[in-house]
Every structure is written in structure tokens, then in C-alpha cells.
Amino acid sequence: MDNRRRRRIEERIAAEVLLALLLLLLALLQSALLPRPYGVTPNLLLVLVVCQGLLAGPTDAVRWAFYAGIGLDLCSGSLIGSHALALLGAVLLATLPLIRLSRGNWLVPLLGVTFGACAYHAILALIIYLSVAPVPLDRYLLVSALPEAAAALVPALPLYMLLHWQRTRRYGEVAIDVY
Amino acid sequence: MIRNRPIKIPGASPYRGPTLILVIVLLALLLLALDYFGMLVPVRSRVEAMLTPVLVWVRSSGDWLTDLAAPPADIARLQAEISALQAENSRLREQAIQLEAIQLENSRLRDQLRIEQARPWQLVGTAVGGRTPDTGRRVIVLAAGSDNGVQPGMAVIAQEGNQPPALIGVVESTGPQSAMVLLITDFSSAVSAQIYRGDTVVSGIVQGRWQRGSRIRLEEVDREAILNGGEVVVTAGLTARLAGDLPRAAIPPDVPIGTIETVATEGQQQVAEIRPFVDPDRVRYVWIIVDAGE
């Protein structure tokens, strides 16, 4: 292995560790710092990984979802892997149906976060149902899933626009239909 | 419609993305299974021991930020105080910060002493660290663990305003420096309870109801024992008397829980919605009953 290739691998590992630490820090802030009006808080990490999935594609976002999920599990005392699995499901369900839509469409983040929140809560409810105790799913939907999905929509558009702007500035993307 | 999909690099394998997704999903499932069967407990304990102090620190910083967003009158008063503090030298400011911390600790210890004088309990006080990031489960993380004598099954109490110190949850699991507490509002929480009425006692079970649309509810009450609004519900401590080896065995009797709000009849039993004395979602400092003194 030549030096150049080795250096590239080392740089990628360092970037991956940095990403994992950053998402762990965000999980920590979400668990301890975010306000909870009426017991509901906007799940910023869910919105973040879904927006990343919509902008960069699911392959990139599943790594974010995994690190963020493990961070949430460690900060909240839930089974390790439960939030990771829920976020992975959210990324896949949010990005795959919308993959052909333009990223400039402002409906994309709103639809993506809605789909993602549905998948996230469905998977979490299933894990709780199987590992803790049977929860009445209709009440869970009304009391937990729907309010949190609605709360997640609030930061969805601003966060998506911020990431889109940052990504456009970084990669200087050109619309493919121009060629 | 203009589409701006990422440009594919020639030569990149089309299977790389799906393979990575599959591997990560399988890894998450594997971790979930390992943790479910208790094989990640040592790792989890170590990580939680590292994270809990950080969580407590971040949470206390959050409280400070909340205080900054207080009403204008408070802001004016705080600004005046800040101006006064700025006039002091660094040694005095350091002393003021230390004094503030000591005062808070003193206040909490006085509360603890008052409870311990009124009750036979031995308490361990600790700050609340993290909370579950979603409403799926109602769990909090405490900055005290098995090194402080905390064990699974112990009752956790807190106090709010003029309300009596009341049950907010039960320790579910512990690490050396941290403990997970299942709040009484969680749907999987069930605590034996009773209502004193002269020389008789009405028994029931306090069931968490948060995920079902309310907070806590008294269930399994005999239909003939008429419940009234405003009656005080306390723990029965039945498990402690009957089966000392069960996880809930450390909940002593007569720990206040809340008051009855509304009563309804369901089949052969009565149920009552309970207003808890302490809102478990708002507590910042709690005490764990490590010895019920019985």
C-alpha cells in the first residue's frame, strides 16, 4: 500500500470518528438540554439524518443515523441499537420514495421528515412492544408519535435549507439537466 | 423539473451502497439483541459512567439558559446583580460562585434532613442527568449508582413547592455512577397503592398512563369501596412484605403518590385518574430511598 493511499484511509477514519463524536455530542444536547413543552421535544437528530439522507443519499445518511442512534441510546438508557434502528428506518423510508424529486422543492424536507417520523415511531413502538411491554398502539400514535412528528416538522425546513446551502457551497452542484 | 442528482463516479460498484446499508442495519440489530440479553452491560456501565457527569453538567447549563429567558422584571434584576458582580474582583466572584453552589447543596441537604426526620428513610440525593429523547418510554438518568448504594427496585422521590415528597419512579438498572429510573408515568410501571380512610384501607394499583393519554391511574379498586376526589394515594409496599426478592421489593409503604382527580367504573372495578404530587418531567433533583428503615 503506498503512502498516498494509506494517508487517504487514515483521513477517512479520522473523519468518521469526528462525525461519530459530533453526533454523540448532539445526542447529548438533545437528551439533556432541549426544552420539553407538554413533554414533547423536536427530535433534531431525526430531522438532521433525514435531511442528510435527502441531500446526500441514503448510503451516506445511514452512517449518520447509526452514530446518532447509538448516541441517543447511550444518553437515554434505552436498549443499545433501538434508536439506531429507528433512525435507519427513518432514513430509508424518507429518502427512497422521494429520490426522484428535486432537492430544491421545499416539500421534500416536509414529506421526508413526515415519512421518517412515521418509520421512526413505528420501529420504536415495535421495539418497546417486543422488549418492554405491550403498549396500545392507537394511544401511542395519538399521544407520542403524532405530536413528535408534528414537532419535528418545525425545524425541518430551516435545517434542510441550511444543509442544502452548505452543501451547494461546498460541492458547487450543477443541475444535471443543464448538460 | 430540474433534477440535481449526484454525479456517479465511473467504476464505482453499484452494490456498495446497498451493501453498506445492509451491514449497518444488521449491526444495529446485533447490538440490540446483545443488549437485550445483557451482554453489553459492562460496556454500557463504563460509557454511562463517563457520560452521566457530562449529562448533568449540560443539564445544569440548560437550567442557567432557562433562567436567562425569564420574564423582563427578572432580567432587569439579574442585570443589576450582574453589574454589581462585575464591580467585584475575581477573588470575590470566585467566592460568590462557590457560595452559590454551597447554598444549593445546603438547601437540598436541609430538604433531605427534613424528610429523613419525618420518615424513617435513609436517602441519597442526586441530580437528574438525561431523559429519554422521545416519549416512547419515560426514563431518567441519575448521577448516582451502585457505588452510592443504589440498587434496582429502590423508590425515587422528589419534592415540588409545598407538596409532600412523593414517589416519581423506581430504579430500573444501575451502573457504578449512574442509575436509570423508570418513571411512574410510564405505561410499564405498576406500583401497589392504598388510600387510608379512617380505620379501613382501600387498595389498588397505580398504573402509568403517559403513552395512553394521561399520567397515572389507580386501578384494581374494589367497586364497593367508593372513591372520592381529593383523597391521597400512597404506596402500599405490599411487595416489600410479601416477596423480598422481587425488583419492586424496595418500595416502602406510605410514600405519597398523588390525589384522586376523577373516578370511573369499569366492569367490576373502579379506576381513578390521579394528579401526582410531583411532575416527574420537571424534577431536577431527586432522592433515592436506599433504606426504608423498617
Side-chain angles (χ1 to χ4, degrees), chain A residues 73-176:
Chain A
D73 291 328
L74 290 173
C75 292
S76 67
S78 44
L79 281 176
I80 293 178
S82 54
H83 283 95
L85 213 54
L87 286 177
L88 286 168
V91 163
L92 294 178
L93 198 78
T95 52
L96 296 180
L98 305 173
I99 206 154
R100 297 206 171 273
L101 288 180
S102 163
R103 291 182 199 139
N105 190 336
W106 61 271
L107 269 177
V108 166
L110 299 180
L111 284 174
V113 169
T114 307
F115 293 163
C118 290
Y120 177 83
H121 284 289
I123 293 169
L124 265 190
L126 185 69
I127 291 170
I128 292 169
Y129 194 94
L130 294 175
S131 65
V132 183
V135 57
L137 294 177
D138 53 338
R139 302 301 300 176
Y140 181 88
L141 182 75
L142 281 176
V143 178
S144 298
L146 282 180
E148 286 205 356
L153 284 175
V154 176
L157 200 54
L159 192 61
Y160 181 83
M161 287 167 74
L162 184 73
L163 287 177
H164 190 235
W165 170 78
Q166 187 268 343
R167 201 173 164 75
T168 312
R169 213 176 62 125
R170 188 171 171 189
Y171 298 111
E173 284 180 359
V174 179
I176 206 162

Side-chain angles (χ1 to χ4, degrees), chain A residues 12 24 28-33 36 38-41 58-59 62-63 66 70 72-85 88 92 99-103 120 124 127-128 130-136 139-140 143-144 148 164 173-177 179, chain B residues 1-7 16-18 20-21 24-25 27-29 31-33 35-36 40 43-44 47-48 51 54-56 58-59 61-63 65 129-141 172-173 180 186-188 209-214 281:
Chain A
R12 287 188 71 173
L24 175 66
L28 207 134
L29 293 177
Q30 173 157 320
S31 300
L33 203 60
R36 292 166 181 268
Y38 305 105
V40 177
T41 184
T59 311
V62 287
R63 288 164 34 237
F66 183 73
I70 296 292
L72 286 176
D73 291 328
L74 290 173
C75 292
S76 67
S78 44
L79 281 176
I80 293 178
S82 54
H83 283 95
L85 213 54
L88 286 168
L92 294 178
I99 206 154
R100 297 206 171 273
L101 288 180
S102 163
R103 291 182 199 139
Y120 177 83
L124 265 190
I127 291 170
I128 292 169
L130 294 175
S131 65
V132 183
V135 57
R139 302 301 300 176
Y140 181 88
V143 178
S144 298
E148 286 205 356
H164 190 235
E173 284 180 359
V174 179
I176 206 162
D177 288 3
Y179 308 147
Chain B
M1 184 182 289
I2 293 173
R3 286 180 287 141
N4 43 7
R5 308 303 316 154
I7 298 162
R16 190 178 163 272
L20 181 69
I21 292 170
I24 290 180
V25 170
L27 188 60
L29 277 170
L31 285 173
L32 189 66
D35 200 23
Y36 183 73
L40 293 180
V43 182
R44 176 188 270 279
V47 177
E48 279 168 3
L51 280 180
V54 185
L55 275 166
V56 171
V58 173
R59 184 148 188 85
S61 307
D63 293 341
L65 283 172
R131 291 169 190 273
T132 38
D134 45 65
T135 50
R137 292 206 77 198
R138 313 303 287 173
V139 178
I140 56 173
V141 184
E172 198 175 47
S173 61
M180 302 292 161
D186 189 273
F187 75 103
S188 61
R209 299 280 300 173
W210 210 95
Q211 292 90 338
R212 293 179 169 100
S214 58
D281 287 328

Side-chain angles (χ1 to χ4, degrees), chain B residues 134-176:
Chain B
D134 45 65
T135 50
R137 292 206 77 198
R138 313 303 287 173
V139 178
I140 56 173
V141 184
L142 303 183
S146 52
D147 288 355
N148 308 91
V150 179
Q151 296 295 328
M154 288 179 169
V156 181
I157 60 171
Q159 193 167 19
E160 215 174 36
N162 295 326
Q163 302 289 358
L167 185 76
I168 62 149
V170 178
V171 176
E172 198 175 47
S173 61
T174 56

